Amino acid sequence: MPRSGSHIRNVDWLTIGLFLALAIFGWLNVYEASYTFDQTSIFDFSYRSGKQIVWLATALLMGGIIMLLDSRIFDVGAYVLYGIILLILIATPFLARDIKGSMSWISLGPVSLQPAEFAKCITALALAKYMSRYEYRLRTWRDMVVPLIILGLPMLIIMVWQKETGSALVLASFVLMFYRQGMSGLVLVIGVAAVALFITVIKFGLLPALIIIVVFTLLYLGRALYFKFKPFSRVKPKILLPVLLSIAAIGFSLACNTVFEHLPDHQRSRIEVLLGMKDDPQGAGYNVKQSLIAIGSGGLTGKGFLKGTQTKMHFVPEQATDFIFCTVGEEWGFIGSSLLLIVYLAFILRLITLAERQREHFAQIYAYCVVSIFIFHLAVNIGMVLGLFPVIGIPLPFISYGGSSIWGFTLLLFILLRLDASRVNKM
């Protein structure tokens, strides 16, 4: 039994330092993005910057409480927490109001919370609990059934029931954790191929997609027959897989247009603008267009603190939340944006280091879930602001304004830090 409080000495303060650096920089940018000329102080609680400092303070309090808990509580209570969050997700649309077509926010007096932000952490705990069982090994497709059910239930509820696509897609990032735990790299290849086929069908039509499938299949079969012709019986397993995958790819291609046509109008328009299928500068493409103008106007060194014209005139919608990176680009310039990305890179690499040094399977699986979530949020948010990905409402970790996001990311991070702090005592 470890001495009381002994784990505090083992806290990874470098990670906490990077977290604080990002959070403080985020607070400054929330002030920049939401600043009005009649605002007297960055601490004014009637404005977003004042509210953000309250969210940060409560997040730090939450982190401190987590560090005082027994690390075993996260393993023992994982399934209970998972059941509770599923019930909350199901109940949310009955309690939420419609915000731009999404029913995912619960109002608690002056505060609004998004349960989907906390579902990411709890789903990661449930997956870690199941996959860390002594007899479990990720070897075949059958071993993926239960983890995919654990992952799929909150995804379906958030995407279909709450109509919140962005938060649901974040859970799909756990494929990186599955890969680290032994999942075949073929799954990643199939995922990338599926996205490529979807884009090909939507932008160029069904025929080019079918031609690509046939060409790749024939090339693969020709290679297999050329190198393994004798004896022919050994070729059959290598022929069967590409044939089955080709049939599945053809079926997927045939369904792409139907799926695309049944997407909500705003999502379909965003994809069409992204792929250059239509030009809608005053509609679906407005956010990205204004974001690129703001970032480009920052130049090398930026316009300076509180001096961004695009930011001050509020040309970019949601500039303090999903599009806050364009505030960084305009007022801090290319140099400031690059330094922010370098800090994020150091943060991600540090999380990977924490994941790799875990002695317990539960802690390592959870750690890679955390890594997956942060990588997904960072890549998609930056890509979204730069017009490389569709706009799906993904906040930038610790930078974007919002209580649910800052609490959700803090919960994710400090549970990992608590598990890591107890690692030395369990060695």
Side-chain angles (χ1 to χ4, degrees):
M1 189 77 175
R3 293 190 302 273
S4 178
S6 63
H7 65 274
I8 298 299
R9 294 192 296 271
N10 303 321
V11 173
D12 191 80
W13 293 104
L14 176 57
T15 304
I16 291 181
L18 292 170
F19 154 70
L20 289 174
L22 290 169
I24 293 172
F25 185 69
W27 174 49
L28 291 175
N29 279 275
V30 168
Y31 177 55
E32 291 177 301
S34 58
Y35 174 80
T36 58
F37 294 106
D38 57 347
Q39 185 172 351
T40 57
S41 170
I42 192 173
F43 296 99
D44 191 333
F45 298 132
S46 61
Y47 292 89
R48 282 186 166 182
S49 60
K51 294 176 182 177
Q52 185 75 347
I53 197 65
V54 174
W55 291 122
L56 288 175
T58 52
L60 287 173
L61 177 62
M62 177 192 298
I65 293 173
I66 290 172
M67 296 307 296
L68 295 175
L69 296 176
D70 190 324
S71 62
R72 291 171 295 186
I73 194 173
F74 304 113
D75 188 340
V76 174
Y79 289 154
V80 175
L81 291 172
Y82 181 74
I84 292 172
I85 197 65
L86 286 182
L87 292 176
I88 293 175
L89 290 175
I90 292 171
T92 296
F94 295 104
L95 306 173
R97 67 181 189 274
D98 191 324
I99 300 178
K100 298 180 180 179
S102 173
M103 304 289 290
S104 60
W105 291 86
I106 298 178
S107 296
L108 303 172
V111 177
S112 294
L113 293 176
Q114 189 177 25
E117 290 293 333
F118 307 99
K120 302 169 189 176
C121 174
I122 296 174
T123 302
L125 288 173
L127 277 172
K129 173 72 172 179
Y130 180 82
M131 295 178 65
S132 61
R133 295 182 307 156
Y134 178 76
E135 70 278 9
Y136 181 82
R137 294 292 183 275
L138 187 55
R139 291 183 294 258
T140 66
W141 288 97
R142 285 177 294 182
D143 298 323
M144 289 286 293
V145 173
V146 175
L148 288 178
I149 291 174
I150 294 173
L151 184 61
L153 286 176
M155 280 188 68
L156 286 174
I157 294 171
I158 294 170
M159 183 178 292
V160 178
W161 187 238
Q162 297 184 6
K163 297 180 176 62
E164 179 62 38
T165 306
S167 297
L169 289 177
V170 173
L171 295 175
S173 68
F174 287 178
V175 68
L176 297 177
M177 178 274 294
F178 288 132
Y179 178 71
R180 175 61 182 83
Q181 296 303 314
M183 183 187 73
S184 172
L186 180 62
V187 177
L188 297 179
V189 174
I190 291 174
V192 173
V195 173
L197 277 178
F198 182 82
I199 293 173
T200 302
V201 172
I202 298 306
K203 185 172 177 63
F204 301 106
L206 181 60
L207 183 59
L210 295 179
I211 292 174
I212 291 173
I213 294 170
V214 171
V215 169
F216 272 94
T217 303
L218 291 176
L219 287 174
Y220 186 94
L221 292 177
R223 179 181 177 277
L225 290 171
Y226 179 80
F227 287 104
K228 294 287 186 179
F229 187 79
K230 294 180 181 181
F232 186 79
S233 58
R234 294 183 182 177
V235 187
K236 290 182 180 178
K238 292 185 175 291
I239 290 179
L240 184 60
L241 179 60
V243 169
L244 292 176
L245 289 177
S246 298
I247 294 172
I250 292 172
F252 175 81
S253 300
L254 293 172
C256 282
N257 278 321
T258 302
V259 172
F260 184 68
E261 291 300 323
H262 282 81
L263 288 175
D265 291 341
H266 66 282
Q267 293 180 2
R268 191 166 60 249
S269 295
R270 289 170 180 174
I271 294 174
E272 289 173 340
V273 170
L274 177 68
L275 298 179
M277 297 167 63
K278 73 175 184 180
D279 186 21
D280 190 11
Q282 298 301 319
Y286 178 79
N287 285 28
V288 174
K289 178 184 177 181
Q290 295 299 325
S291 174
L292 292 175
I293 291 173
I295 293 172
S297 66
L300 181 63
T301 59
K303 295 178 178 177
F305 188 67
L306 298 179
K307 294 181 180 179
T309 53
Q310 292 290 114
T311 297
K312 295 300 155 292
M313 299 304 293
H314 302 289
F315 282 110
V316 185
E318 310 298 338
Q319 191 162 349
T321 53
D322 300 338
F323 279 80
I324 197 166
F325 186 73
C326 69
T327 301
V328 179
E330 182 178 25
E331 302 206 351
W332 302 87
F334 176 79
I335 293 176
S337 301
S338 299
L339 289 175
L340 174 61
L341 294 179
I342 289 171
V343 175
Y344 267 124
L345 176 61
F347 180 72
I348 296 294
L349 291 176
R350 190 61 189 169
L351 292 183
I352 294 174
T353 299
L354 297 186
E356 283 297 319
R357 74 185 187 186
Q358 298 309 306
R359 302 295 181 180
E360 291 191 337
H361 207 194
F362 174 84
Q364 186 180 73
I365 293 171
Y366 175 78
Y368 270 104
C369 288
V370 174
V371 172
S372 300
I373 289 172
F374 278 107
I375 289 176
F376 185 90
H377 269 273
L378 178 61
V380 173
N381 181 273
I382 301 297
M384 182 179 72
V385 172
L386 296 178
L388 303 176
F389 293 142
V391 178
I392 57 174
I394 294 290
L396 191 59
F398 306 123
I399 304 293
S400 294
Y401 169 79
S404 294
S405 65
I406 195 73
W407 279 9
F409 290 129
T410 302
L411 189 65
L412 272 168
L413 178 62
F414 275 83
I415 289 178
L416 171 57
L417 290 173
R418 180 62 188 90
L419 294 172
D420 179 70
S422 63
R423 171 183 56 90
V424 175
N425 293 326
K426 294 178 180 178
M427 286 176 59

